[in-house]
Structure formats: C-alpha cells, structure tokens
Amino acid sequence: MAKFLFSAFADEASPSIAEQIAACKANGIEYIELRNCDGKNISNFTVDEAKALKKVLDEGGIKVSSIGSHYGKIEITDDFGPHFEAFKNTVEVAKILDTKYIRMFSFYFNNGESYEEYKDEVFARLSAMADYANENGILCCHENERGIYGDIPSRCLEIAEYFGDRMGCIFDPANYILAGADTLAGFEDLCKYVTYMHIKDAVAEGGAVVPAGKGEGRVEEILKKLDGREGVFFLSVEPHLRVFDGLKALEQSNGQELKINDVYVYPDNKASFAAACSAIHELIETKVQPVRFGIIGVGNMGSSHIRMYMKGEHHELRVTACADVNPARLDAAKEIMPSIKTFNSAEELIDSGEVDAVIIATPHYLHSPVAQYAFSKGIHVLTEKPAGVYTKQVREMNEAAAKSGVVFGIMYNQRTNCVYRKMRELVQGGELGEIRRVSWIITDWYRTQSYYNSGGWRATWEGEGGGVLLNQCPHNLDLWQWICGLPVKVRAFCHEGKWHDIEVEDDVTIYAEYANGATGTFITTTGDCPGTNRFEITLDGGKLVCENNKLMLYKLNGTISNHCANAKGGFDPLEGEWIEVETDGRNKQHSEVTSKFAAAILRGEPLVANGEEGIRGLSISNAAHLSSWLDRMVEIPVDEELYFAELQKKIAAGNAAKKTVVETVQSDMSNTY
C-alpha cells in the first residue's frame, strides 16, 4: 500500500533550472532529483550557491527528492580522500535544499580489479560516506549501475544487508537489464530494502534505453510489487531518451555507454522528457494504481483518509479529489495533500470526471442521498459507518447499487482485526457448540462536552440520528452480529443526555434474545472514565473472553449441556483450562478495507463488508432505540415504518440548533477505530 511521489532528473529536459522547473510542472512532476543546474553539477555546488538554488526552487513550487550526486563513480583504486571531502560539502548542500537523500554508487571496477579483493575497500568507503551522512540527518542511497561493485542484484543485496537502515537502496531496472540481470527476481530479493525507484527501462540487445514499460525491465510488475509495501516512495524519472548536456560526464569510457534508442524518437529534449514522464504516469494511473478515489467530507475521518493515503496505506488506488461544503476544510485538505483537487459539493466531485470511486465521510443522514447520486453516475461507493441512520435508508442504497452495477462497500474496518476474526472463526466453526450467553461491556468511548460542541450536527436527532449507538458503536454492533449472529428480540434502555448536554443517547444497556434461547447484553456509554472493553461469549464447550487486545479461551473438557444433564453430584465441576488463543497478528484496519474495495472494483474480489452488511448491525441500534422509545421489547427485523415515524417525533421535539458550536477537526482519529 504505497504512496508514490513523482520526481525526475529534469536536467534531461534542459540545462536551465528555470526550464527544468517548468518541465516538471508541465508534466505532473512534484519533485526534482538534482544533478545538473545551469551547466554545473550539483556535487560541485557551494553552500551559498545551494541557498540561491533553494530560493529559485521554492519560488517555482518544486521540492527536491534527492541529490543525484556522482559519489562512488570513481575507480576503486583512485584516491578516495578528495572524493570524500567533496562529499561532505554535498551533505551540507542536501541539508540546505531540504532533502534527506543523496544518490551514490559503489565504485568502478573497469580496470580488471577483483571484486572479492577490493570488497573490504568498497564497504569501508561506503561506510565513511553513509556514517557521515547519517550524523547529519541525511541518508545515502545506493544505485545499481554497470561496472561498479553493486552492478547485479546479489552484490546490491550484500550492500543492503550489510548497511541496513544506515543506507538506502535505489532500484534502477534499466541498469540491471544492461548488466545482464533478471530485474523481477532481483527486485523480489531487494524489495524490503528499496528506498525509491529510478524509472528507466531498457532493451538488452543493443543496450538501448526506452520509455518505462516499453522495454524488458518488467517495470509494471515491479511497481505492483512495490505497491504492496506500506510507505512513501519516490519514482524518479531518468529518461535517457536523447543525448543531453552532461550525459558524457555521467559515463565511463569502457565500451558500455548507454545507447539512445532509434525506435522512440523525439524532436527535442523537452519532448523526450515529456514522453518519459507520460510513460510512468500511464503505468501508475492505468496499471498499478488505476482506481481514482475521491473523499466526500473532509472533517475528522475524511482528513484522516487523506493522511492515511499520504503515508502509503492504500493499494491500487490514488486519492485524486475531495469535497466539502466548508471552504476551510478544503484548505486544510490542500495543506495535507497539495495536489488534491477540491470541490464545494459531493455532486460537483461526482460529476467532475476526476474519480472512479468515493468514500463518504459526511454526517450520517447524507450517506444515503450522496451514495445514491454516485450510483446513478456509475461511481463506486465506500461509506463510513453507519451506512445510514435507519435500515430503510440502507436498503434503498443497496437497491440503487444493484441497479447501477457498481461496488458498494462499508468501512467496517474492525472486521480486519485478528482478534475479532479469530473469535468469529471459533464461534462460527461450531467446535465450541452453540452460544449460550453474550456480554459486551464497551464503555471506553469517553467524550467531553467539547467533543459534542465541535460540530453543529453532532449529538442531535436531526443531524446525526442518534448518539453513542450511531456514532461510536456501529463497529461493535456489526462485530456482535458478525461473530454471534443477529438476535431476534431486543429490550433496551437508552438514556439521553445523561452525562452530557446533548439530546441523544450517551448511556445504553441492551438485553437481547436469540432464536436458540441464548441471551446477550450490550452496555455502552461515552460517560465512563476509565472505560472497559470486555467481550465475553459463553458457548456450550467453553468461553471466549476478548479484553486488552488479547483473546482467551476457557476450553471445557466436554459440554455444559451434557455435563449438566449427566453429572452425578450437584456441585461436580466441569474441568477445563485457560488458553491464550493465537492469531495471525494482522490488523490492517482502513488500509485493508480500501485495498479490498479497489480489488473488488478491478477484479470482483470479495469486500471486507458489502452494502448488505450495513443493514444488520444497524438493525440492532434501530431496535434498541425503538425499544427505549416505546418502553417495550422489539423484534428484529425492526418495523421500518414505525421506526421512521418515531424518529420524526424525536427530531420534531429536539433542538438541532446548538447554542455553542466550536468547530474543530481532530488530527488523530486512531483511538476512535
């Protein structure tokens, strides 16, 4: 789940730094890997020249991804002293230019030197540069190239394993092709060490460089594998499609010079640069991360989704746009992700042609109308929880999705948690017998009055449709029914404004009955501090207890039903033992939901939770509200028309116009998942 940032060696477009900046901006490149500026190699820049260059770059709106230095591009037998002294100066230049990377090499062996004989010298020189850079907050990144020690994957792997976090690893497919290496096998070996990519492709026969994806470098497959890693990676375009100023200075005269191809021919350097940039855009945008993803509502959760994307936590999708009715929130989104396109309404975004799919992170009542508008336009929808305020809304959403033939998913990210997945496996597998009793105390949702005052729609019947059951607990209600199945009857007590100055429920106790006679309780509030999160399931053959992210099983030596009926003594114990249940440890949360959403769009793979699932957990909260309002037991499925009528009464009697609203957007929502 990678976030790719586009960079380029823009000196291949022009020697002029002003024209390099213009070429980057014209071709959707946000960063530059500096190599030659106005006829001078970046490795030869003084500190004062670097300061002047930084001012030019800032004014042009371009950042520096890396210093494309030539360090390590000397013969292994050459004097290292002057080389190292120059390197120290370039470290200062990197700091001034606000980049953390310096590209470097591992010394030429063009005079027949023995790799094994000079290996220690290579590592000593690399260590000197890497350690000095690290002391100054800079990371040296080794690039593979023909003729140097790190020319093939096996020796690059030696370097990567030896240095670990002390040095980065650049993967250049074309350079491996020209060194006779298998690029895909090499990438599989080096993948976990790769810091960023040089985007250059080549054809082995003749040694010609070609646009990315047009050669034998298997660039598409490699980038798909890189996309499987979490993190932020530069894709630095190095065209080499035309002769450019400074090319000869980059090469050794050893008969291995790069060949300019005669198939992809361009009238000038700007055109060849544009072609190289276009090739990587096409690969990423149509093959590697083809789903264009829009975020509707950039309050707490919407802005969190942008941050998650910027950290590289999504797979096969790109966040391209967002919408909100509040201009300040759009400005805040731009601060997080400057390249994002912004729209003033959901409809504008959906109609823009900028997205294939959206996630809806608006107030609850808007989920249904926004989703249905998206469905009508053929846009796939992933909605935050709850899918709607009442089951009738969600039923209409599912009908509209089915009619349009698009994918409809729900952000039930807690289903990815290894502990809950294991609970479901044990309960649904049947080995422990039927459920006898369920109890979930989930009171660690403490909220202050300030939280409820942070939005005018919060904690009102008209704006939110409920309190703790609709805002904090949809995940828990979903997990309850996902693991244990839906109860058939509910009796609930929902205390409205018990601990806060709000009109909706902030303290709830639910009693439930199952078709097999099992019973359950669900207790929640936003008023307890400290709170508790303890989920117990008693089954015929044992008890599961989930607390503090740990799953314990008391495995009985038999079943309760059999022992109770056949034991001779009235106090005869049924023995068993406590076991800590092993899980796979995976808990990808939102990233897994969004990645599987993209896979469902692209290949029809299963979602974590489809739209139909949105009705089930919501059935419990609707039944609980109705039970409390009517002061009686309510059956599931709930009477949708009755629920809607009673909800309208609550809205009419409520006070949606809050006296005190201090709108804020939380920067960290991780403790609310």
Side-chain angles (χ1 to χ4, degrees):
M1 286 67 81
K3 171 70 172 80
F4 293 132
L5 299 175
F6 295 111
S7 181
F9 288 87
D11 57 347
E12 298 200 27
S14 170
S16 159
I17 188 62
E19 291 185 5
Q20 290 179 34
I21 291 170
C24 285
K25 295 176 80 73
N27 290 284
I29 304 295
E30 304 167 89
Y31 292 79
I32 189 169
E33 183 152 0
L34 288 169
R35 188 168 53 195
N36 288 287
C37 303
D38 294 323
K40 188 170 186 176
N41 189 282
I42 189 67
S43 301
N44 300 322
F45 266 51
T46 65
V47 166
D48 287 340
E49 287 172 330
K51 290 178 180 177
L53 176 58
K54 180 68 163 66
K55 185 173 184 294
V56 171
L57 291 167
D58 287 346
E59 290 173 351
I62 292 290
K63 299 178 182 178
V64 179
S65 63
S66 177
I67 300 295
S69 84
H70 54 49
Y71 295 108
K73 271 197 167 188
I74 60 173
E75 195 75 19
I76 188 60
T77 53
D78 289 346
D79 185 1
F80 180 59
H83 200 65
F84 185 46
E85 290 304 313
F87 171 79
K88 291 178 181 178
N89 179 74
T90 299
V91 169
E92 296 305 311
V93 168
K95 290 159 66 175
I96 291 166
L97 294 173
D98 196 23
T99 180
K100 64 179 181 179
Y101 299 142
I102 293 179
R103 181 271 301 266
M104 43 91 80
F105 302 88
S106 52
F107 305 97
Y108 280 114
F109 283 69
N110 288 328
N111 296 328
E113 301 93 346
S114 164
Y115 285 110
E116 197 58 40
E117 180 183 352
Y118 282 94
K119 176 179 176 180
D120 289 346
E121 179 65 17
V122 168
F123 279 68
R125 292 182 175 194
L126 293 179
S127 292
M129 291 190 287
D131 292 345
Y132 184 85
N134 286 335
E135 290 167 7
N136 286 274
I138 302 296
L139 184 69
C140 286
C141 297
H142 175 263
E143 179 187 351
N144 57 290
E145 179 161 310
R146 288 178 301 172
I148 65 173
Y149 184 87
D151 58 348
I152 57 176
S154 59
R155 283 196 287 269
C156 288
L157 184 59
E158 278 183 18
I159 294 170
E161 289 177 337
Y162 179 85
F163 284 96
D165 292 340
R166 293 163 58 206
M167 183 181 291
C169 174
I170 302 170
F171 195 95
D172 187 317
N175 285 352
Y176 278 128
I177 283 287
L178 301 176
D182 183 327
T183 56
L184 187 58
F187 186 83
E188 288 170 345
D189 289 339
L190 286 160
C191 181
K192 69 178 180 180
Y193 298 104
V194 171
T195 308
Y196 73 92
M197 296 283 299
H198 276 176
I199 302 302
K200 192 159 86 254
D201 206 346
V203 177
E205 185 177 352
V209 175
V210 296
K214 307 299 184 183
E216 298 166 5
R218 305 179 77 173
V219 179
E220 178 185 334
E221 294 167 86
I222 286 169
L223 290 174
K224 284 180 176 178
K225 287 185 178 294
L226 184 59
D227 189 40
R229 280 184 57 190
E230 287 189 4
V232 180
F233 302 93
F234 286 111
L235 304 181
S236 193
V237 179
E238 189 176 15
H240 276 25
L241 300 178
R242 276 182 64 90
V243 174
F244 58 95
D245 288 352
L247 176 62
K248 289 299 179 185
L250 303 176
E251 300 175 341
Q252 293 270 325
S253 297
N254 56 4
Q256 295 184 346
E257 290 83 0
L258 291 168
K259 305 297 190 301
I260 302 303
N261 77 87
D262 56 7
V263 176
Y264 299 94
V265 180
Y266 307 95
D268 54 41
N269 289 96
K270 289 181 181 178
S272 67
F273 181 79
C277 294
S278 177
I280 188 58
H281 277 297
E282 181 181 359
L283 275 178
I284 296 300
E285 293 164 12
T286 67
K287 303 290 180 62
V288 180
Q289 294 180 336
V291 178
R292 298 173 301 161
F293 199 47
I295 299 170
I296 297 176
V298 282
N300 289 344
M301 276 313 308
S303 57
S304 292
H305 282 297
I306 298 175
R307 289 188 178 90
M308 283 183 259
Y309 172 70
M310 294 297 288
K311 292 177 182 177
E313 295 181 5
H314 299 311
H315 188 53
E316 295 188 305
L317 60 81
R318 293 169 289 119
V319 172
T320 56
C322 67
D324 203 290
V325 296
N326 186 334
R329 289 185 174 180
L330 295 178
D331 291 341
K334 278 278 191 185
E335 286 292 318
I336 304 169
M337 183 180 172
S339 63
I340 199 168
K341 292 182 171 63
T342 58
F343 298 90
N344 296 316
S345 71
E347 292 78 9
E348 284 184 18
L349 184 150
I350 291 165
D351 290 338
S352 69
E354 295 290 341
V355 298
D356 307 302
V358 295
I359 184 165
I360 301 173
T362 62
H364 304 155
Y365 280 106
L366 295 175
H367 290 188
S368 181
V370 170
Q372 291 193 59
Y373 186 78
F375 296 147
S376 73
K377 301 293 184 174
I379 301 295
H380 308 281
V381 171
L382 179 64
T383 183
E384 276 292 344
K385 52 79 182 170
V389 175
Y390 44 91
T391 57
K392 183 179 179 181
Q393 267 190 328
V394 185
R395 198 177 308 282
E396 291 170 348
M397 293 162 77
N398 278 289
E399 290 169 358
K403 183 178 179 181
S404 66
V406 296
V407 175
F408 176 30
I410 300 179
M411 184 56 78
Y412 279 147
N413 48 281
Q414 284 295 325
R415 289 191 182 191
T416 71
N417 188 313
C418 55
V419 174
Y420 297 128
R421 286 189 285 108
K422 193 65 177 181
M423 290 184 81
R424 174 178 161 85
E425 177 187 322
L426 291 170
V427 172
Q428 298 290 327
E431 181 184 343
L432 298 172
E434 286 195 327
I435 293 174
R436 297 171 67 92
R437 187 181 307 281
V438 180
S439 175
W440 200 343
I441 302 174
I442 173 70
T443 58
D444 58 348
W445 292 121
Y446 180 66
R447 296 291 187 271
T448 65
Q449 186 64 41
S450 173
Y451 166 81
Y452 290 111
N453 291 346
S454 68
W457 63 280
R458 286 195 184 281
T460 65
W461 294 113
E462 184 176 53
E464 193 164 16
V468 65
L469 290 178
L470 261 290
N471 193 320
Q472 284 75 38
C473 286
H475 288 301
N476 309 105
L477 295 174
D478 172 64
L479 291 170
W480 179 11
Q481 66 82 24
W482 187 58
I483 294 167
C484 302
L486 272 174
V488 294
K489 292 181 180 179
V490 163
R491 179 67 175 100
F493 302 90
C494 302
H495 298 273
E496 298 167 1
K498 184 175 184 178
W499 308 115
H500 306 87
D501 183 17
I502 58 175
E503 65 184 43
V504 295
E505 81 284 353
D506 59 359
D507 193 294
V508 175
T509 298
I510 300 174
Y511 163 77
E513 293 182 357
Y514 285 83
N516 72 340
T519 59
T521 56
F522 184 92
I523 299 169
T524 190
T525 181
T526 55
D528 283 9
C529 187
T532 298
N533 186 350
R534 182 179 175 91
F535 188 9
E536 293 187 11
I537 305 173
T538 301
L539 301 111
D540 202 22
K543 174 183 281 191
L544 288 166
V545 178
C546 177
E547 190 171 22
N548 299 323
N549 295 314
K550 182 187 292 185
L551 181 58
M552 301 296 297
L553 166 63
Y554 191 81
K555 183 72 167 66
L556 293 169
N557 298 328
T559 63
I560 299 171
S561 56
N562 184 60
H563 184 267
C564 184
N566 297 301
K568 302 302 182 185
F571 295 94
D572 286 355
L574 175 55
E575 300 294 340
E577 64 172 330
W578 282 107
I579 304 165
E580 183 172 351
V581 179
E582 289 188 11
T583 70
D584 61 18
R586 197 179 79 246
N587 185 16
K588 293 292 189 179
Q589 295 284 326
H590 296 78
S591 66
E592 184 168 342
V593 177
T594 52
S595 297
K596 288 194 171 182
F597 178 60
I601 293 169
L602 295 170
R603 296 179 295 279
E605 294 180 15
L607 293 160
V608 169
N610 62 33
E612 295 290 341
E613 294 291 298
I615 295 175
R616 295 175 63 82
L618 192 58
S619 294
I620 301 176
S621 63
N622 281 184
H625 277 138
L626 193 57
S627 171
S628 186
W629 297 339
L630 301 179
D631 196 21
R632 64 172 174 81
M633 185 76 80
V634 168
E635 293 185 352
I636 295 176
V638 72
D639 183 329
E640 292 180 344
E641 298 302 329
L642 177 60
Y643 176 83
F644 183 76
E646 293 299 321
L647 176 62
Q648 300 314 302
K649 293 178 184 177
K650 300 296 290 186
I651 292 171
N655 180 21
K658 292 184 181 180
K659 295 179 182 178
T660 305
V661 176
V662 182
E663 188 166 300
T664 59
V665 174
Q666 301 296 318
S667 61
D668 183 5
M669 293 289 290
S670 58
N671 67 339
T672 72
Y673 301 158

